[in-house]
Every structure is written in C-alpha cells, then in structure tokens.
Amino acid sequence: FCSAFGRLSSLSMMLGRTAGIVRRSISHARCLSTSSSLTSLFNPTEEHAALRSMLRSFVEKEVEPQAIEYNRNETFNIPLFRKLGTADPEGLGILGLTAPEEHGGTGFDATACALVHEELSYSDPAFCLSYLAHSVLFVNNLAVNGSGQQLEKFLPGACEGTKIGGMCMSEPAAGTDVLGMKTTAKLDQDAGGYILNGAKMWITNGTLTGKDTGDVFLVYARTGEGRSDITQFVVERGMEGFNLGQKIEDKLGMRASMTAELVFDNVLIPEENVVGEVNGATLCMMRNLEIERIALAAMALGIARRCVDDMKRYAAERTAFGKD
C-alpha cells in the first residue's frame, strides 16, 4: 500500500521528535523486540519497534486514563484524537500513517498499521475504531485511489488532525451485500456535477459531537445500471443537503466511537470530487477492505492481549480456598 520509511531520521522529523528522544525510543524498542512476548515477528524493523515503543508509552499515559469515562458517556475524545496528528506540536503524526510524506503522511506500511491498531485497542478499542475509520477508510483509501489534486487538497488536513474523516458504504438495507446499495449519484451537466441522494448507516465518525456531521467522507454511490457501477466521491461537511440523520445511541460496545446515519438530499458534488474512475469504485472498495481487515484483526489482538494481562493480574492477586 505505502512503503515504510526506511530512515529513522525521517520518522523523527515527521513525528516532531528530537534526535535524543528517538535514540531512547530505539533503545527501548530493541528491548521490546528481543523480549519473550514481543519477538521480531511483531517488530520486523527497527523503525517498527520504535513506533511501537513510542505508541505504547502514549497509550499508557494518554489513552488508558480516559477510556472508561468516554465510553461510559458515549462521547468522542476529540482533543486526544488530534494528538495523533501533526497539528499538535507534540503530536504522534500517525493520522496519515500510510499516506505519502509529501502530503503530510508518514509513509509506513501495513505492518505499522497493524501494530498501531493493536496498541490503541489494548486500552480503548472504541477510540481505535475512530482512528481506523479516519486513517484507513478515509486517508489510506484516498492516498491510494485519489488524484494528485485531491491528495493535495484533502490529505494535509486529515494528517494534521484538523479534519476528521470517514467512509460511507453501508446502508440500512445494504450491509454485507454492499453492492445492493441504493444511494445514487446522477451527473447533471447544467448543475456542474453529480446530484447525490440516499442515506448511509452505521458510519463511524459520521458525527463527532452528536449535533452535526463529521468533517469529510468518501461516499460510495450507484452511478450506472450495472450491479458494480459504483463511484466514490469526496463529500464535505456543510455541503447543502448533506445532514446528520441520527447518532446511534446506547451501543453494546465501542461506545466512545461515534456512529451515525448520514442523509444526502440532492447534494451537488463537483466533478473534481470523483475519486478514481466513474463506475470503477468497486475495485477501490475491495482494495481498501484488505488493509482494513488487517487493522481489525490487529484490534482483536490488542483486545485479547489486554484480556490475558488482566486475567494474569487477577490470578496473582486473588485469594481462593484460603490461599493467596
């Protein structure tokens, strides 16, 4: 998808770290990579190990303390999310993890994507899910399939964290059967673009506050008569006719990740917001689902690792049958 850095100095520059801090991260990373629990299989290069070390420290200090509160209240920790970007002077710079460096990204690979999702999910899977929707479903998708002009326009804000994005694919009657979607986009030459109509359901980052839509989305819509005649568009908050249908409340899990229904009522989409080929987005969709599945599997690994650690901790503390 995107090549890894290959140079630790480039990692330092992108993450806004000093050379001394990076050297300490590498030292810690070497310890991680040679420990019994994290072998070189999980840290194939020094750069991956340094990334894991840095992220694990961040999760322990920043993510873990807030997880219960935000999940209990079903709210999204926007300030913390922005710390994953580059706009914050001390930000991690991972919102564009697989995006090209020239557009504000970090240029890492699918292995880095897996380890980031594992580490974030260890403490807050809901927060990680919002990260996945932004960094994989929006940023990586656009980085792979978008034009140079689109990358230049939309990726910097997404990598900085000033814009929080997502992807709109599922519909009330089209989940697993995604090609059964009913949302349409019809070209109107007189209007100067495509007219988008329909609704998308269960959209992660569909709202950030529960009162309005998220900032920017990749939206799939039917543009032809064939079953696979699907096209992908960039839709931005504030476009006329683009509204929040509802925030999905009282979820059984992932409660700190906002989920919403989004409604499109005669939304005019300029032709320059078409991503890839008209009627050719099925390939874009399937291509991006590959790395999404890697990220989701890594999330499951992070959750499982936390379960094992909590069980070990409890087993060491509990008293049973009169014995410690």
Side-chain angles (χ1 to χ4, degrees):
F1 294 93
C2 295
S3 61
F5 262 153
R7 303 185 310 277
L8 190 57
S9 59
S10 183
L11 173 66
S12 171
M13 183 168 57
M14 291 305 301
L15 302 182
R17 302 300 185 197
T18 65
I21 293 175
V22 172
R23 282 195 294 271
R24 288 194 293 273
S25 293
I26 294 175
S27 178
H28 185 200
R30 285 189 178 123
C31 294
L32 283 174
S33 63
T34 55
S35 70
S36 59
S37 60
L38 286 171
T39 65
S40 59
L41 177 65
F42 295 91
N43 301 299
T45 70
E46 203 167 66
E47 287 78 16
H48 289 101
L51 176 63
R52 186 187 293 275
S53 174
M54 179 189 66
L55 193 60
R56 185 165 294 187
S57 177
F58 177 83
V59 168
E60 180 181 349
K61 294 175 182 177
E62 300 277 359
V63 179
E64 178 72 24
Q66 57 82 56
I68 292 178
E69 175 188 352
Y70 280 86
N71 278 274
R72 179 181 290 127
N73 296 333
E74 293 189 90
T75 52
F76 177 41
N77 193 338
I78 298 175
L80 180 61
F81 191 86
R82 298 199 196 281
K83 287 186 178 182
L84 302 180
T86 57
D88 188 312
E90 298 184 358
L92 298 189
I94 60 171
L95 289 181
L97 188 68
T98 59
E101 295 178 57
E102 59 266 30
H103 296 295
T106 316
F108 263 116
D109 58 5
T111 300
C113 181
L115 75 85
V116 168
H117 284 81
E118 178 196 343
E119 294 298 331
L120 287 175
S121 289
Y122 182 88
S123 286
D124 194 344
F127 183 76
C128 185
L129 188 63
S130 289
Y131 171 78
L132 182 151
H134 176 91
S135 67
V136 175
L137 300 186
F138 179 78
V139 173
N140 184 77
N141 191 335
L142 188 64
V144 172
N145 299 301
S147 67
Q149 182 182 11
Q150 290 167 343
L151 269 58
E152 184 177 348
K153 181 177 180 180
F154 297 111
L155 282 187
C159 295
E160 291 168 357
T162 54
K163 299 289 185 181
I164 298 177
M167 182 269 288
C168 301
M169 183 171 64
S170 298
E171 298 181 3
T176 304
D177 180 21
V178 66
L179 294 183
M181 67 177 63
K182 304 299 183 184
T183 297
T184 62
K186 298 182 179 180
L187 181 61
D188 187 330
Q189 297 284 7
D190 295 333
Y194 286 80
I195 306 300
L196 181 65
N197 281 286
K200 297 293 183 178
M201 189 59 123
W202 308 294
I203 305 305
T204 304
N205 297 345
T207 182
L208 306 179
T209 64
K211 299 178 181 179
D212 198 357
T213 70
D215 294 323
V216 60
F217 299 89
L218 290 173
V219 179
Y220 291 97
R222 183 163 300 285
T223 48
E225 297 299 323
R227 179 168 168 79
S228 61
D229 287 347
I230 306 295
T231 303
Q232 188 173 205
F233 303 88
V234 178
V235 179
E236 299 178 82
R237 180 167 61 88
M239 284 184 167
E240 186 175 355
F242 176 39
N243 296 297
L244 173 66
Q246 61 174 313
K247 175 191 172 187
I248 308 301
E249 303 276 4
D250 199 25
K251 296 184 295 183
L252 292 178
M254 303 293 184
R255 293 164 65 92
S257 173
M258 299 297 95
T259 309
E261 176 191 29
L262 298 177
V263 178
F264 310 91
D265 183 12
N266 291 321
V267 181
L268 176 61
I269 310 297
E271 290 190 64
E272 59 263 30
N273 281 27
V274 173
V275 178
E277 299 292 329
V278 174
N279 294 334
T282 302
L283 177 61
C284 301
M285 182 191 303
M286 297 305 158
R287 180 188 292 153
N288 207 63
L289 285 174
E290 292 176 350
I291 192 169
E292 179 195 4
R293 287 163 179 155
I294 291 173
L296 286 168
M299 287 181 63
L301 177 61
I303 294 169
R305 204 183 88 218
R306 176 60 177 267
C307 290
V308 171
D309 284 353
D310 282 354
M311 287 189 292
K312 287 166 57 181
R313 188 178 302 109
Y314 176 69
E317 296 172 351
R318 73 188 290 258
T319 298
F321 306 104
K323 298 180 180 180
D324 293 333

